Amino acid sequence: MVGEDKYLVVAMVMGIIFIGLGIYLYLIDRKISRIEQKQDELAGLNKK
């Protein structure tokens, strides 16, 4: 019984880490997209 609980705790911790990593990558992607959009807008203004 005790050994099974250890596996459950390890699985839960790994799940939490992967969920956190996924959220972090999603937020970074959104920030990069905003920066790229602003950069494209500025490049368009400089061409005119």
Side-chain angles (χ1 to χ4, degrees):
M1 179 90 178
V2 175
E4 293 176 11
D5 292 340
K6 289 181 183 178
Y7 289 120
L8 181 60
V9 170
V10 170
M12 289 175 65
V13 169
M14 289 179 65
I16 291 170
I17 290 172
F18 280 119
I19 289 170
L21 185 61
I23 292 170
Y24 174 73
L25 290 174
Y26 173 74
L27 293 175
I28 291 294
D29 182 56
R30 284 183 45 195
K31 285 184 181 181
I32 290 174
S33 296
R34 287 186 202 144
I35 291 170
E36 288 175 341
Q37 186 178 11
K38 286 182 182 179
Q39 187 178 15
D40 289 344
E41 288 174 2
L42 289 175
L45 291 176
N46 289 337
K47 288 182 181 179
K48 291 181 179 180

